Each structure stands twice: as C-alpha cells, then as structure tokens.
Amino acid sequence: MTSPPLILGLESSCDDTAAALVRGRDVLSSVVMGQNALHADFGGVVPEIAARAHAERLDLCVEQALDEAEVSLSAIDAIAVTAGPGLIGGVLSGVMLAKGLSAGLGKPLIGVNHLAGHALTPRLTDGLAFPYLMLLVSGGHCQFLIVRGPEDFSRLGGTIDDAPGEAFDKTARILGLTQPGGPSVEAEALKGNEKRFRLPRPLLDREGCDMSFSGLKTAILRQRDALITDQGGLTQQDRADLCAGFQAAVRDVLAEKTRRAIALYRAENPSEPALAVAGGVAANKALRAALEVVCETQDLRFTAPPLRLCTDNAAMIAYAGSELFALGRVSDMSLAARPRWPLDKRAAPLIGSGKKGAKA
Ligand code: KG4
Ligand code: ZN
C-alpha cells in the first residue's frame, strides 16, 4: 500500500504563525508561534503588527516543522495554506510563501478555508465519519455546522455579535484579570457562586441556533459599576461570583443551543451520530461538562480534539488540504487571500466582526 501524501500546512490568518507536516492522520510536526506578547498592550490583535510578525516568522516555522519531522522540503507532496477568512495581511503572508514554495519546488498548492481546518479536525484526531455536528467556539468564531464532506458544510446558526472567547476576554478586562480571559475567568469562577448575580441568557427566547454574547459582557460591566458605587470597589468574592455567573450564562446558552442544533442534525439520520467541539473556548471544563451531559442524554458521541489541535494550528490546515487533495482540488497561482469566506455559501452572512477579525 502506498503511503498517503506528505502535506506541508501553513496558517497565519490571525495571531498564530504556524507550520505543520501531516501524512494521512499522522501529525509529524506542528509548530505554533503565538503573538500574545506583541498585542498585549493594545487590548486586541493589531492587524499590521500581526502581518509583520507572520512575514518574519513563517519561514522559521517551516524550518522548525521540517526539522522536527525529520524530512526535507523536497519530500513534500503538496503545500496547503489558509487562504481565508482572516486578517488579510496575515493571510497574504501565508499565501505568498505557499505560492513561492509551490513554484520553487514544483509541488501542488492547495488553498484551505481556515474554518474547514477547524471543522475537519475531528476526522484527523478521532476519525469521525461524515456527517457530524460541530460546535466551533473560539475568540473569533462561534457557529454550529453539519459537516457532510470536506467541502460540504451547513451552518445552522452562529453568533450575531461577539464570539464567546471574546466575551471571556472582555469580562476579564472589565474585572481586572489577566489575558487571555478564558482561563483566568474559569479559575475565578471555581471560587464563585453562579447564582448571586442574575445575568441574561441572550436569544434563548428566540427560535433557532443563533447566539449573542455582547450583552452579557455589558451586564457584567453594569454589575461591576453598581458594586463600585455601593461599596467603593470589588472584593475577591464579588469578582469570583461575577465570573461564575458569566461562565454559567455562556454555558447555559451554548448547551441549550446545542440541544436545538442536535435536533436539526438528527433529522439527517446520521449513522454514527457525533458532536465535536473545537476552538479555544472548548478548553472550558464547565462548558465541556455541560456538553457531555447534553450528548449523553441525546445518545450522541462527544469528541473534543486535544487543545493544541483545537486552537489555531497548521496541522488542521495540512489535514484539510489532504482531504481536498484526495478529491483533486488543487489551486493555481491565481489563489486569492480572502478576508471573508463563509463555509456555507447558502447561509446568510453573519453580522459583525470581532477583535480577532472578520467572522465568516
Ligand atoms: O481558538 P483560539 O486559540 O483562537 C481563536 O480565537 O481563533 O481561542 C482563543 C480564545 C480566547 O478568547 C480565550 O480567552 C478562549 O479561547 N479560551 C477560553 C479558555 N481557554 C481559552 N475560554 C473559556 N475558558 C477557557 N478555559
Ligand atoms: Zn481559528
């Protein structure tokens, strides 16, 4: 049996510069150089700084990925690159390098949708069969997808404003906690009482799977200001209770919307029903536990890729590239970098654009 093609993946659509080598479902190397420190003073990702850092580091990432996998450039069978959606300067850096490598090595070029990379990861990590349901929750994305094939996605709903990770980060900022906000809010929430503050459960009264998280962060801001007016400041316990209340609200909204998404997905009679969750927010233990309960009660398999493959990385791009390559989907030198690129062309575009760039 011949071995599957060796694919070099490149990712530079937001604030992680990454390169990886993948053969079939084997990740030979996956290098991610983050940029948190570069953007820390600005309260969000600065596109120009991100683009410059990608341009400076992409080739270093590729070298390191080749070293770690102990393969040479000439051994690569194809180059897969994120061609969107994302911050255009960063996407361009990756696409230009991929074109250069493709032309120089005489190897095929494959343009990959970043969201398809996330959405196909459960096939890389767990070998999930199509169709499965995916909840993508990160700092820049939040959507439910039915994944039917490498190019066949139905978006059932998504956030109409902030992504949950963005709301965690803003909540942390409001309460003076460190960034990224997800882990620090989660740690505080463990010490808090989620019932003390009554926080909204946005859009639960509306049918369907669309979500909204920006109002929650405003509710936290109001509660904080009310406490400051009443008592002159926040105690440790106030902070913990606010974090617990916020996290419980996000958890409840995502769990209920997941129940609704499962009902829509079930209508397709999937032979091996499964829900996969991906994105940085999938690291949240309270959220995971709630989703596991939903899946248990609905008799559905629950999977979450390991965190290093849940958050932005290039292995997912290489893997998605390999699925496209198997279908003969090769790009040429006209491959364009796209700031917006919805996975589901039939679904209405989402409103809004968060700190992590355009949401497709
Ligand atoms: O997937 P990711 O690394 O980057 C993109 O947004 O594409 O996700 C980062 C986001 C941040 O907003 C971070 O605060 C959030 O994921 N996050 C968490 C946790 N760990 C990271 N949110 C909630 N709970 C966590 N434990
Ligand atoms: Zn992402």
Side-chain angles (χ1 to χ4, degrees):
M1 208 177 85
T2 54
S3 65
L6 178 64
I7 313 281
L8 168 67
L10 302 177
E11 158 61 36
S12 55
S13 64
C14 187
D15 59 349
D16 290 302
T17 315
L21 283 151
V22 170
R23 192 192 284 283
R25 288 181 51 204
D26 277 344
V27 178
L28 306 185
S29 62
S30 177
V31 177
V32 180
M33 295 186 185
Q35 303 179 0
N36 279 347
L38 292 179
H39 304 285
D41 290 343
F42 303 97
V45 177
V46 183
E48 285 72 23
I49 295 176
R52 186 177 294 257
H54 288 306
E56 284 170 3
R57 295 172 176 180
L58 265 167
D59 55 344
L60 301 176
C61 276
V62 172
E63 266 175 25
Q64 198 178 322
L66 290 166
D67 279 355
E68 287 179 17
E70 296 181 1
V71 298
S72 64
L73 255 187
S74 58
I76 290 165
D77 293 305
I79 299 134
V81 61
T82 299
L87 300 173
I88 194 66
V91 181
L92 264 173
S93 303
V95 168
M96 296 308 285
L97 176 62
K99 285 183 179 176
L101 286 170
S102 166
L105 298 168
K107 299 289 164 80
L109 172 71
I110 307 158
V112 173
N113 183 311
H114 175 87
L115 300 170
H118 280 300
L120 294 171
T121 302
R123 288 174 59 73
L124 166 67
T125 55
D126 296 86
L128 280 199
F130 296 124
Y132 53 89
L133 180 65
M134 152 122 308
L135 168 59
L136 187 51
V137 266
S138 71
H141 325 293
C142 181
Q143 51 188 302
F144 288 104
L145 294 163
I146 297 178
V147 185
R148 296 197 192 87
E151 297 177 296
D152 190 353
F153 307 93
S154 287
R155 188 168 69 76
L156 302 177
T159 181
I160 59 167
D161 42 52
D162 290 355
E166 208 173 342
F168 268 96
D169 294 342
K170 286 178 180 166
T171 294
R173 206 164 305 129
I174 290 167
L175 299 177
L177 302 170
T178 51
Q179 294 293 326
S184 36
V185 170
E186 179 169 24
E188 284 296 314
L190 284 176
K191 299 174 253 166
N193 169 10
E194 66 175 59
K195 296 204 162 51
R196 176 169 159 207
F197 296 100
R198 286 176 59 86
L199 293 166
R201 303 297 191 256
L203 295 197
L204 277 196
D205 54 344
R206 204 192 286 178
E207 267 181 46
C209 302
D210 278 344
M211 291 161 281
S212 161
F213 295 99
S214 76
L216 260 178
K217 141 215 97 193
T218 313
I220 291 285
L221 183 66
R222 290 224 180 86
Q223 296 281 9
R224 181 204 67 179
D225 290 348
L227 287 168
I228 292 174
T229 309
D230 288 354
Q231 11 169 106
L234 295 190
T235 64
Q236 280 292 344
Q237 196 56 50
D238 294 335
R239 216 171 256 123
D241 293 343
L242 282 168
C243 286
F246 166 82
Q247 181 175 272
V250 173
R251 176 201 67 202
D252 289 353
V253 169
L254 284 169
E256 173 54 26
K257 296 285 176 169
T258 299
R259 262 179 226 114
R260 296 183 195 178
I262 289 174
L264 294 170
Y265 161 67
R266 281 266 187 212
E268 301 207 353
N269 291 317
S271 56
E272 297 168 43
L275 168 76
V277 60
V281 182
N284 189 280
K285 293 197 184 66
L287 174 62
R288 265 182 197 241
L291 294 177
E292 275 177 82
V293 170
V294 170
C295 286
E296 238 172 70
T297 52
Q298 310 256 340
D299 202 15
L300 220 77
R301 179 175 170 193
F302 174 79
T303 66
L307 200 59
R308 64 178 197 291
L309 295 174
C310 246
T311 54
D312 285 353
N313 68 86
M316 68 179 190
I317 303 304
Y319 178 76
S322 72
E323 292 231 16
L324 293 171
F325 196 46
L327 295 175
R329 299 281 189 274
V330 172
S331 313
D332 61 24
M333 286 296 153
S334 67
L335 175 68
R338 299 173 62 172
R340 287 188 178 257
W341 185 0
L343 270 184
D344 179 351
K345 285 141 208 105
R346 292 153 300 203
L350 288 181
I351 308 158
S353 150
K355 83 172 163 67
K356 298 247 174 174
K359 297 182 195 81

